[in-house]
């Protein structure tokens, strides 16, 4: 199993599209910073517009913490999309290049083979989120400095620098579980659809559907709380003034459960399907 | 009709009596005018339903005739109205006063006075002051400005000797906001008008002022 994981890592970092996708991610990060540099004050103006009549403001809200929060918003769509493309590609390329048949001719367990892909997908996702977090913290603080964070979530919330820093770190950690869920879901989709283009289209559709359904109110019942599409905004709970840690913990636990379910589904289907 | 005529006569008598500025108010004004400058540290606690903000701290400084200045290490929101503890804006242009009798608050009797500016340049249309005539201080006010709505002040003092307040409660009207914003780049260009609601909310700011350094006019 250990060697299968090594092999999967080797394959992942050997393929050029991994680097293209990662480069795309960091280009997005750079664009967010660039646009924030020019439009950040517009955001703040919009937020504080009707308060200007009653208040004087002292201090700069366009700072590193706001920038990190803006980058964190790539967790909605950009980051999971890139991760889904890379991760699903680790299996679809094996189908396409027919390396899967070659591997399956070896004395390799199908379960262990696919499980190693799921393990590598998880570790790779964690690594990408970690790198994104480190680069966004370093670049944002370096270029924009630190300061209070302003976030609009039902109310206009202000967080002091230290509090903002802690919340942003936790948001990356919690968001990581959502990203792992999407990565593993895309790998399961690759098991079902095999072909790269089909898998990517279905993955994008899955991601869009999750984002759309997140905003749909399924009523005040348990389904609204536990349906997996309702869990992907958990990282945003860190930016409510009072943090509901219980809700966050439950959501993270559910994301782990859903990720496991998708993994079991994928492995089960892969085990039962013949490799053509 | 009878009531209207009586009303006009009553108002006329009131206004005739109001030509001479109130003596108690003049004593209060004199005391405030004796302040040349002051510096202090201020703690702000914002109580507006749609704003969540931790307590903030700032240093304020005032020079007679100048706008109040403030400095802070982090982001602070300071009310445009209510920081003028010298009430210099009220006395800047000519005015008349109307005696409104006495009000009892927490067992203490305070004199109520209306200030009506007679100069168009004044930025308020009417003000009501509650005067502590024993200590020649203002303990409360309701000021209707021409552009920035109405705001109320409630002032508490550390001791009878202090001319400046230790605690101030500023109540004001503020527009409710509704922002369909999720900070995604694509949503940055939003229509400000569509984000505003007509609803007006009451907001309050509690100020704790400490470490006064007061200089008096020599």
């Amino acid at each position: 199993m250990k060697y299968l994981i090594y092999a999967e890592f080797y394959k992942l970092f050997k393929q050029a599209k991994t680097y293209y996708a990662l480069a795309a991610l960091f280009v997005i990060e750079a664009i967010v910073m660039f646009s924030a540099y020019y439009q950040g004050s517009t955001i703040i103006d919009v937020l504080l517009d009707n308060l200007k009549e009653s208040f004087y403001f002292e201090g700069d809200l366009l700072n590193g913490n706001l920038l990190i929060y803006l980058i964190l918003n790539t967790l909605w769509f950009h980051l999971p999309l890139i991760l889904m493309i890379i991760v699903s590609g680790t299996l679809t390329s094996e189908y396409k290049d027919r390396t899967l048949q070659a591997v399956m001719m070896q004395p390799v367990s199908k379960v262990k083979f696919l499980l190693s892909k799921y393990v590598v997908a998880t570790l790779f996702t964690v690594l990408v989120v970690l790198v994104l977090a480190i680069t966004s913290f370093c670049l944002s603080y370096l270029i924009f400095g630190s300061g209070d964070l302003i976030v609009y979530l039902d109310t206009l919330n202000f967080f002091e620098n230290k509090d903002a820093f802690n919340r942003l770190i936790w948001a990356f950690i919690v968001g990581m579980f959502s990203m792992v869920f999407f990565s593993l879901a895309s790998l399961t989709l690759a098991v079902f659809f095999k072909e790269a283009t089909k898998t990517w289209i279905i993955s994008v559709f899955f991601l869009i559907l999750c984002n759309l359904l997140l905003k749909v109110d399924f009523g005040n019942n348990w389904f609204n709380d536990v349906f997996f599409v309702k869990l992907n905004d958990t990282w945003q709970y860190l930016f409510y003034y009072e943090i509901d840690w219980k809700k966050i913990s439950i959501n993270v636990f559910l994301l782990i459960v859903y990720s496991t379910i998708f993994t079991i589904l994928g492995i089960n289907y892969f085990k039962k399907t013949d490799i053509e | 009709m009878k009531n209207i005529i009586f009303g006009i006569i009553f108002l006329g008598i009131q206004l005739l009596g109001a030509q001479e500025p109130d003596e108690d108010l003049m004593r209060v004004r004199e005391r405030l005018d004796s302040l040349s400058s002051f510096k202090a540290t201020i703690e702000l606690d914002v109580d507006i339903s749609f704003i969540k903000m931790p307590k903030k701290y700032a240093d304020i400084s005032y020079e007679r005739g100048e706008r109040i200045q403030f400095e802070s290490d982090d982001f602070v929101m300071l009310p445009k109205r209510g920081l003028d503890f010298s009430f210099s804006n009220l006395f800047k242009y000519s005015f008349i006063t109307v005696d409104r009798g006495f009000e009892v608050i927490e067992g203490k009797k305070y004199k109520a006075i209306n200030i009506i500016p007679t100069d168009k340049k004044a930025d308020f249309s009417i003000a009501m002051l509650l005067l502590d005539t024993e200590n020649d201080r203002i303990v409360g006010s309701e000021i209707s400005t021409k552009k920035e709505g109405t705001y109320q002040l409630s002032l508490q003092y550390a001791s009878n000797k202090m001319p400046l307040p230790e605690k101030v409660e500023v109540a004001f009207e503020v527009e409710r906001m509704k922002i369909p914003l999720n900070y995604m780049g694509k949503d940055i260009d939003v229509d400000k008008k569509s984000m505003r609601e007509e609803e007006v909310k009451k907001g309050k700011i509690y100020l704790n002022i400490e470490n006064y350094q007061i200089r008096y006019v020599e």
Side-chain angles (χ1 to χ4, degrees):
Chain A
M1 184 74 186
K2 196 169 76 178
Y3 295 106
L4 281 171
I5 292 170
Y6 287 155
E8 284 307 321
F9 263 119
Y10 178 77
K11 282 189 270 182
L12 180 68
F13 287 109
K14 195 78 182 160
Q15 59 179 9
K17 63 176 172 242
T18 304
Y19 297 99
Y20 281 120
L22 288 177
L25 179 65
F26 295 113
V27 167
I28 291 168
E29 190 180 344
I31 291 169
V32 170
M33 285 203 175
F34 187 75
S35 62
Y37 186 80
Y38 287 101
Q39 289 184 296
S41 50
T42 312
I43 301 172
I44 293 160
D45 279 350
V46 166
L47 288 170
L48 303 178
D49 189 40
N50 60 340
L51 297 173
K52 279 181 185 164
E53 286 170 16
S54 312
F55 295 95
Y56 296 118
F57 300 111
E58 169 77 15
D60 196 2
L61 287 172
L62 180 59
N63 55 52
N65 285 322
L66 181 65
L67 263 289
I68 299 162
Y69 183 75
L70 293 172
I71 293 166
L72 196 57
N73 274 278
T74 58
L75 298 190
W76 285 120
F77 194 79
H78 306 89
L79 183 59
L81 178 71
I82 287 168
L83 285 168
M84 286 172 107
I85 289 170
I86 300 173
V87 169
S88 65
T90 59
L91 186 63
T92 55
S93 60
E94 299 238 25
Y95 277 115
K96 187 187 157 209
D97 302 337
R98 299 192 168 273
T99 49
L100 196 58
Q101 285 94 326
V103 175
M104 288 299 115
M105 274 189 261
Q106 309 299 316
V108 174
S109 152
K110 279 174 95 177
V111 174
K112 282 185 179 173
F113 171 75
L114 195 63
L115 189 61
S116 65
K117 280 199 183 291
Y118 277 105
V119 171
V120 170
T122 306
L123 295 175
F124 177 70
T125 305
V126 171
L127 184 75
V128 170
V129 175
L130 198 70
V131 171
L132 181 71
I134 292 168
T135 52
S136 58
F137 271 98
C138 292
L139 289 172
S140 300
Y141 284 146
L142 195 73
I143 301 169
F144 294 90
S146 59
D148 284 16
L149 172 65
I150 180 173
V151 173
Y152 185 80
L153 272 179
D154 299 338
T155 54
L156 199 57
N157 302 332
F158 292 83
F159 305 111
E160 283 178 333
N161 183 39
K162 200 182 167 195
D163 188 24
F165 176 76
N166 290 333
R167 284 170 189 262
L168 288 164
I169 285 183
W170 274 108
F172 271 108
I173 293 168
V174 172
M176 192 177 69
F177 287 93
S178 287
M179 298 305 102
V180 169
F181 166 75
F182 280 117
S183 291
L184 301 189
S186 74
L187 195 53
T188 302
L189 292 172
V191 174
F192 282 98
F193 294 96
K194 297 178 181 68
E195 207 259 308
T197 317
K198 260 192 229 170
T199 306
W200 290 347
I201 290 170
I202 301 295
S203 296
V204 171
F205 175 71
F206 179 77
L207 181 59
I208 292 170
L209 199 70
C210 285
N211 274 313
L212 286 176
L213 291 177
L214 179 69
K215 287 163 188 161
V216 176
D217 188 6
F218 294 101
N220 192 17
N221 55 44
W222 62 270
F223 185 69
N224 207 38
D225 292 329
V226 302
F227 189 26
F228 66 81
V229 299
K230 292 287 182 183
L231 308 173
N232 293 314
D233 64 342
T234 306
W235 62 270
Q236 276 233 313
Y237 292 16
L238 271 306
F239 300 101
Y240 285 104
Y241 203 69
E242 301 294 334
I243 302 175
D244 187 349
W245 285 107
K246 192 183 165 195
K247 175 82 177 152
I248 291 171
S249 308
I250 292 169
N251 283 10
V252 166
F253 172 73
L254 287 170
L255 277 168
I256 294 168
V257 170
Y258 280 119
S259 301
T260 312
I261 290 170
F262 270 83
T263 305
I264 292 168
L265 264 177
I267 291 173
N268 229 19
Y269 186 80
F270 187 72
K271 200 168 72 178
K272 287 176 186 167
T273 317
D274 289 331
I275 310 295
E276 292 164 9
Chain B
M1 190 63 191
K2 225 178 193 178
N3 286 340
I4 294 170
I5 293 164
F6 274 122
I8 292 167
I9 293 167
F10 178 74
L11 195 70
I13 292 165
Q14 288 277 321
L15 286 173
L16 278 171
Q19 295 307 307
E20 286 299 313
D22 184 272
E23 278 179 19
D24 292 316
L25 180 68
M26 286 303 103
R27 280 206 315 278
V28 172
R29 184 185 173 180
E30 242 170 62
R31 195 172 184 201
L32 290 170
D33 282 350
S34 69
L35 300 171
S36 159
S37 67
F38 67 82
K39 284 181 181 176
T41 53
I42 192 166
E43 179 197 270
L44 290 109
D45 197 0
V46 178
D47 179 18
I48 304 172
S49 61
F50 58 92
I51 293 178
K52 306 277 185 198
M53 184 183 253
K55 278 182 184 167
K56 293 285 181 181
Y57 302 87
D59 293 326
I60 54 168
S61 58
Y62 167 80
E63 287 282 341
R64 199 174 167 196
E66 303 282 322
R67 212 179 73 178
I68 204 151
Q69 301 291 316
F70 46 87
E71 265 180 52
S72 178
D73 291 335
D74 51 11
F75 179 81
V76 283
M77 272 169 50
L78 289 151
K80 281 189 176 175
R81 294 292 181 163
L83 282 180
D84 179 18
F85 306 139
S86 66
F87 289 87
S88 57
N89 267 351
L90 296 185
F91 309 125
K92 201 170 174 184
Y93 301 103
S94 57
F95 60 89
I96 55 168
T97 57
V98 180
D99 191 339
R100 310 298 299 177
F102 286 88
E103 278 189 27
V104 179
I105 299 169
E106 292 174 359
K108 279 197 88 177
K109 211 170 158 190
Y110 299 109
K111 186 172 185 177
I113 278 186
N114 275 146
I115 297 181
I116 304 161
T118 51
D119 192 320
K120 282 180 185 173
K121 282 182 268 180
D123 65 354
F124 68 103
S125 47
I126 188 164
M128 193 279 287
L129 298 182
L130 281 180
L131 305 180
D132 173 359
T133 49
E134 276 176 38
N135 297 302
D136 296 335
R137 292 186 303 210
I138 296 168
V139 293
S141 70
E142 181 172 318
I143 301 167
S144 300
T145 64
K146 287 177 181 169
K147 288 179 183 169
E148 290 158 344
T150 301
Y151 68 99
Q152 290 99 30
L153 294 181
S154 171
L155 303 95
Q156 287 178 38
Y157 297 82
S159 67
N160 288 342
K161 283 182 184 173
M162 270 301 278
L164 293 167
E166 178 199 32
K167 288 175 197 267
V168 179
E169 188 184 306
V170 190
F172 51 92
E173 288 170 344
V174 61
E175 256 182 88
R176 180 74 169 98
M177 56 201 274
K178 197 175 184 183
I179 303 170
L181 187 71
N182 62 4
Y183 281 138
M184 297 286 275
K186 62 186 176 193
D187 287 335
I188 283 174
D189 189 20
V190 285
D191 182 6
K192 290 184 187 180
K193 277 186 184 170
S194 69
M195 295 185 317
R196 287 174 163 210
E197 274 190 358
E198 292 301 313
E199 198 185 344
V200 170
K201 290 267 174 188
K202 279 270 180 199
K204 273 187 184 177
I205 288 195
Y206 300 95
L207 308 169
N208 275 326
I209 309 118
E210 287 177 338
N211 307 321
Y212 271 117
Q213 292 171 46
I214 303 171
R215 279 181 59 211
Y216 294 92
V217 177
E218 287 164 12

